[in-house]
Amino acid sequence: MCGIVGYIGAKPVKKILIDGLRELEYRGYDSAGIAVLQQGGFSLFKAVGKLINLEEKAKEFESNGFSVGIGHTRWATHGKPTELNAHPHLGQNSYVVHNGIIENYQELKAMLTAQGAQFLSQTDTEVIVHLFEHHLKTAASAFEAFRQTLARLEGAYAVLLVNGSVPDTIFFAKHGSPMIIGRNTDNDVLFGSSDAALIGKCNEVIYLEDGHYGYASSDEVALFDAQDREVVLRYVPLSDNKLSAQKEGYRFFMEKEIYEQSTVLADTLMGRLRDRSIYFEEIDPSLFEGINEIKLCACGTSYHAALVASYLFERHAHIRTSVEIASEFRYRDPFLTSDTLFVVISQSGETADTLESLKMAKKSGLKTMVICNVDNSSMVRLADASILTRAGIEKGVASTKAFATQVSVLWMLSLYLGETRKTLPATEIERQIQLLRTLPSTVAVDPATHEQLRRLSKRYLHGHGFFFIGRDVFYPLALEGALKLKEISYLHAEGYPSGEMKHGPIALADPELFTIALLPQHKLYDKTKSNIEELSARDSTICSISPLDFDKADDHIRTRAQDDYMLEFFEMMVVLQLLSMEIAIRLGNDVDMPRNLAKSVTVE
Ligand code: M6R
């Protein structure tokens, strides 16, 4: 994913920018660039691939006193990863770097092109710098031109812009994409899209809020809100401890990653949702030609995402879909036919069982695809096609945001297939795209619910076991909820289809058996309710999760009313993640590094 850094000061600017970008490398990128304004002139360096290529391009550049610089790592969304598409983007006398997406860029580009602007790249970002220069012709000041530019942008962005007529200044804005301003005792001003880029270089920072914009020089930082009112600058200390600073005030990485799901889902959807269709830049539609079956293969949490996909693919795309646990697939002499697309799902892209399964499928002549969070991982390099999930680095061993992004990609893929196979009406695709757009707000943690879960957790620290139950896609979600709980609390937990309990497991029901029941309003509500009532009648302790009241439960977590079961799925996912985490914290466990587990399982 994209990263931004900025610097105003007299220190070696190239090193500061590239070091800052290096701290953001973990987010993944495919090109990078820096622009430096020094002694009245700009120097620009861009390179495709890793930062070492950028360093090589810029190796002759020497800083000389005071300078202003901006830098960027780009993860291609509009246009291929080329030098021309890499940021910073140039106007006549200005440069811009941008994270996010400018949704109305085509309309702005048409207007600016008609007025003579020369576009060099295929990116949405380039409109910002041309729009700025367009307003600069008539505005009272460069800052006024910047303000007018922002007023015309639709979408999500974090922006830094420099202009040759104000060589000591960086204009900045944040709207839906993170941006931080930092300062130090040497009077340097720095910018970063994450504080990882600023640790060790700043002692104080301001985390900008949506709608904030302004300008900075070494003498002054002026900050305005969305209503154009000047905002009082409130710096907060930035820890120089990388680990604790990276947790950004959260107790554990897992907690931070749960809270981050809103942002990473926005990143994952970015550029992929059109008004009436789904667009995967990385997928050539010919991949699906001649395919009559999809076989999904994965381990652990990624396997649960695959199970969710099996419901969505068959429902939306009417394509036979099977799901394999990778460690079983490898040794069961599977019968494979060449009309099957073999799709592996993996956060790391390195899990040994999944990787070997992918190799087996390739060897058998199947077309292959990976849904993965790590670019250039072994699976991404091996598969015929890949879709990246853009969750950013996941440090907690218990996977959270990676799962959320996997399911969102698989949901989009089911719609993409529904469209190409003509199995979903256009109106339904459009409706679901609107639902997808709301995912970032759907998974935003409600502080009251988090507090309720924290309090509730003390009642679930003992007992002889947990059953997580649900139907349809809520069954794999129940499996995932149970996996989360056992991984970090070390309590015994199982996921079960609600309707299956009466075929055996209900024999365990007593007050010491805790049932976590997923009761969505929009998917099989009555059926699931009856199953929970059967358990309640046998005195199992029930914790129900539903937007509707349920009087047979001992505890009830009320979720928000949603328009569709998939939104209920994502909201309940967050509830289950927080519940497991709060139980594990009460038990005094190391939530981020649970005993016996590794983040990436590269052994069989
Ligand atoms: O990197 P992968 O997605 O291939 O990893 C698969 C599993 O090892 C992983 O999901 C594991 O189950 C997690 N610890 C779950 O929280």
Side-chain angles (χ1 to χ4, degrees), residues 139 159 171 200 271 337-338 394-395 446 472 481:
V159 167
F171 300 113
T337 53
S338 59
E394 189 178 62
K395 292 204 166 164
D446 170 22
D472 201 273

Side-chain angles (χ1 to χ4, degrees), residues 415-473:
L415 300 181
Y416 175 95
L417 292 170
E419 188 192 357
T420 49
R421 294 169 63 82
K422 302 194 182 12
T423 48
L424 266 187
T427 48
E428 181 55 16
I429 295 176
E430 223 170 296
R431 186 188 76 85
Q432 295 205 33
I433 288 173
Q434 290 312 323
L435 297 174
L436 278 157
R437 288 190 196 284
T438 68
L439 276 187
S441 56
T442 305
V443 298
V445 176
D446 170 22
T449 307
H450 192 168
E451 177 56 17
Q452 184 195 1
L453 292 164
R454 197 188 62 74
R455 293 182 61 78
L456 205 73
S457 58
K458 62 177 173 288
R459 302 224 275 271
Y460 292 92
L461 305 176
H462 60 290
H464 58 70
F466 285 76
F467 272 100
F468 286 68
I469 60 168
R471 281 174 177 262
D472 201 273
V473 293

Side-chain angles (χ1 to χ4, degrees), residues 53-65:
N53 302 342
L54 179 65
E55 280 180 308
E56 181 59 28
K57 285 268 177 91
K59 69 173 184 231
E60 307 292 332
F61 177 84
E62 292 293 341
S63 306
N64 189 0

Side-chain angles (χ1 to χ4, degrees), residues 45 47 64 70 152 158 238 270 300 336-337 340 350 361 397 436 512 518 528 540 557 564 589 599:
F45 305 96
N64 189 0
I70 55 177
R152 299 195 58 182
L238 178 68
M270 193 166 56
L336 301 172
T337 53
T340 299
E350 304 296 345
V397 165
L436 278 157
E512 296 297 295
L518 304 176
T528 313
S540 168
I557 298 156
D564 188 273
N589 298 344
K599 183 68 190 160

Side-chain angles (χ1 to χ4, degrees), residues 298-304 345-352 354-355 371-374 379 394 396-400 402-403 406 480 483-484 487-488 594 597-601:
C299 301
T301 289
S302 300
Y303 169 73
H304 299 152
I345 305 175
S346 175
Q347 187 283 128
S348 60
E350 304 296 345
T351 303
T354 315
L355 183 59
I371 293 171
C372 191
N373 195 37
V374 182
M379 289 183 217
E394 189 178 62
V397 165
S399 183
T400 52
F403 176 70
Q406 285 168 345
E480 175 59 10
L483 179 64
K484 284 293 82 86
E487 280 188 294
I488 57 176
L597 299 181
K599 183 68 190 160
S600 188
V601 185

